[in-house]
Amino acid sequence: QVQLVESGGGSVQAGGSLRLSCVVSGYTDSGNCMSWFRQGPGKLREGVAAICSGGITKYYADSVKGRFTISQNNAKNTMYLQMNNLKSEDTAMYYCAADLYGSRWFDDDEYNYWGQGTQVTVSS
């Protein structure tokens, strides 16, 4: 049984930093893509960042480029999202996703496994 468990969310002031973690169990295809998505109040879920091919390839949404960094530690079966210079518009529930079966890393319809989410709230 595949499980994804996020942690690291919280409340910070604008300009602050957080590091999200996603621990994966029951899934071993480290060469496939894993991603972070978020869903803000009244918004659709959107792709934030993806890491593929064992960490060789990374993708970012334009809104987070230069501020967020995605990484993974295969030995710990954990994916991370380092978020710096946070803005109020980053406020959202953040989800990790695994096992991309399509080619669109940013499309939430193309992942088989999801975590329950961790809340990030940024106050200005």
Side-chain angles (χ1 to χ4, degrees), residues 4 6 22 32-37 47-52 59 70 79 95-100 104-107 111 113-114:
L4 282 67
E6 302 97 334
C22 173
N32 201 336
C33 293
M34 293 184 58
S35 299
W36 287 97
F37 283 76
V48 175
I51 186 165
C52 310
Y59 303 96
I70 191 170
M79 177 177 65
Y95 301 89
C96 61
D99 196 23
L100 174 68
R104 295 153 50 98
W105 71 266
F106 48 87
D107 189 338
Y111 289 85
Y113 305 113
W114 290 86

Side-chain angles (χ1 to χ4, degrees), residues 26-123:
Y27 180 77
T28 58
D29 188 1
S30 60
N32 201 336
C33 293
M34 293 184 58
S35 299
W36 287 97
F37 283 76
R38 67 185 181 187
Q39 187 167 18
K43 298 181 180 180
L44 297 175
R45 190 156 58 181
E46 62 174 350
V48 175
I51 186 165
C52 310
S53 303
I56 294 174
T57 306
K58 301 178 182 180
Y59 303 96
Y60 295 94
D62 288 343
S63 58
V64 306
K65 280 181 182 176
R67 299 189 298 123
F68 291 11
T69 302
I70 191 170
S71 62
Q72 66 184 66
N73 183 327
N74 291 331
K76 295 184 178 181
N77 294 325
T78 303
M79 177 177 65
Y80 303 98
L81 186 67
Q82 177 67 44
M83 306 186 295
N84 297 328
N85 191 21
L86 283 160
K87 304 176 181 180
S88 57
E89 51 262 44
D90 295 318
T91 294
M93 183 70 79
Y94 283 72
Y95 301 89
C96 61
D99 196 23
L100 174 68
Y101 60 85
S103 59
R104 295 153 50 98
W105 71 266
F106 48 87
D107 189 338
D108 62 356
D109 282 337
E110 299 194 4
Y111 289 85
N112 281 316
Y113 305 113
W114 290 86
Q116 293 300 306
T118 185
Q119 178 68 38
V120 171
T121 303
V122 184
S123 58

